[in-house]
Amino acid sequence: MTGRNRLKARLKAGETVTAAWFELGSPEVAELLVYSGWDVLVIDCEHGSAGLEAGLNLLRAVEGAGGEAVIRVPDSSEATLKRALDRGARSIMVPMVHTAKMAREIASFCLYAPRGRRGYAAPIVRATNWGNLPGYAATAHEELLIMAQVEHVDTVAEVEEIAGIEGIDMAFVGPNDFAASMNHLEDMDHPDVRAKIEEVERSATANGLMLGTITGVAGPGRSYAELRDAGYGFIVGPNDVGLLAGAARAAKAQAAKELGEETGEAAPLPSY
C-alpha cells in the first residue's frame, strides 16, 4: 500500500504547495474551498471551531471534494496523535514543538514498532478503510507526513537535531508565537525575529528538513515567491474567516458607495 499521501509525494518531488487554513468547521465551506482551487486545506483543531473529533470527520468533506487535508492537532499527546492517525489523518501538523526531545516523542507516538510505539488497531480503523488495506502497518510510515511547528526562539538550536529524527518531515515556522517568544508579539518584521527565523531556514535546509510557514512570515511583505526562494515548500495563505470577512466588507462598502453613505475605517482582516 503506497502512494495514498499525494501531498507528501508533491512535497518530496520538490513542488511548492500552497494551502488555505480551514477554521470555521463547516463541511460545506471545506467543499467550497476545494472546488475553488484550494486543493490542500489545513483543518485547524488547535484554534479553529472544530475540535479534534469534528476536525477528523471533516476529512471526508475535503477528500470527497478531491482535496488533501492536513490536521493541525490541538496538542502533542500520545492519545491525540494515535486517534488522529487511526481516524485517517495522513498529514499532521503538531503545534509548539520546542525541543528535539518533544519531536522524538511525537515521532515515536506516530510510528509502529520497531520505529516507534504507536498502538495497533489497524484492522478496525478508518485509516485502513476498516481493514481493507492489507499491509498498512508495514508501510504507514511511508505515507505519514509530520510537520513540527517551530514556534520558539529556543528551538533554533534544536533544528539540526530535529532534522535527524525519523518520521519528522518538516519544520513549520509559526512566526507570531516565535516573535512572542522574543518579546515581539505581532512584530514579525523585527530585525531580531527575522534573523532568528533565517537561522531556522538555513539549519533546516542544510540538514534536509522540509520547511513550511504562513504568508507574511518574517515580514508582512514576504510573498509566496520570496518564501519559495527561501526554501519553503509548504506555504499556508488565507483562512476561511479572512476570506469571508474580506468579501463581506467589500460587498458592504460597495453598497454604501452606491448609496452615497459614509463608512468607517475597516478593521484589519483576520490573519495569523
Side-chain angles (χ1 to χ4, degrees), residues 148-166:
Q149 286 198 243
V150 176
E151 303 188 90
H152 198 283
V153 66
D154 291 349
T155 316
V156 176
E158 306 266 338
V159 172
E160 181 177 356
E161 187 175 351
I162 290 171
I165 298 171
E166 182 181 9

Side-chain angles (χ1 to χ4, degrees), residues 1 4 121-136:
M1 183 213 63
R4 297 183 71 223
I124 60 167
V125 295
R126 180 177 181 267
T128 63
N129 293 346
W130 311 107
N132 290 295
L133 288 178
Y136 168 83

Side-chain angles (χ1 to χ4, degrees), residues 47-230:
H47 294 298
S49 300
L52 181 63
E53 289 303 315
L56 291 169
N57 280 325
L58 288 166
L59 283 169
R60 294 180 173 90
V62 177
E63 293 170 356
E68 287 280 297
V70 178
I71 294 286
R72 176 154 75 169
V73 292
D75 61 74
S76 60
S77 71
E78 183 172 9
T80 291
L81 293 167
K82 176 169 57 181
R83 189 148 188 82
L85 293 169
D86 282 353
R87 292 291 294 278
R90 293 188 289 271
S91 300
I92 293 179
M93 183 184 294
V94 186
M96 301 289 182
V97 183
H98 293 335
T99 66
K101 179 182 178 181
M102 282 186 65
R104 192 169 286 106
E105 288 178 345
I106 289 163
S108 177
F109 298 158
C110 292
L111 300 173
Y112 288 122
R115 295 174 177 85
R117 50 179 278 183
R118 177 182 171 186
Y120 181 80
I124 60 167
V125 295
R126 180 177 181 267
T128 63
N129 293 346
W130 311 107
N132 290 295
L133 288 178
Y136 168 83
T139 60
H141 63 285
E142 298 173 4
E143 301 300 317
L144 178 61
L145 175 68
I146 302 178
M147 305 176 181
Q149 286 198 243
V150 176
E151 303 188 90
H152 198 283
V153 66
D154 291 349
T155 316
V156 176
E158 306 266 338
V159 172
E160 181 177 356
E161 187 175 351
I162 290 171
I165 298 171
E166 182 181 9
I168 302 298
D169 301 286
M170 179 182 292
F172 188 94
V173 178
N176 249 321
D177 285 310
F178 195 101
S181 75
M182 299 177 67
N183 296 319
H184 294 297
L185 180 63
E186 296 186 337
D187 187 9
M188 297 178 288
D189 201 27
H190 191 282
D192 292 344
V193 176
R194 296 193 64 156
K196 284 297 182 180
I197 288 177
E198 287 170 2
E199 284 188 43
V200 174
E201 295 167 0
R202 288 193 296 270
S203 183
T205 301
N207 291 283
L209 185 63
M210 290 189 289
L211 279 167
T213 192
I214 65 173
T215 52
V217 64
R222 211 168 182 197
S223 67
Y224 287 101
E226 288 169 326
L227 289 168
R228 176 201 60 200
D229 294 345

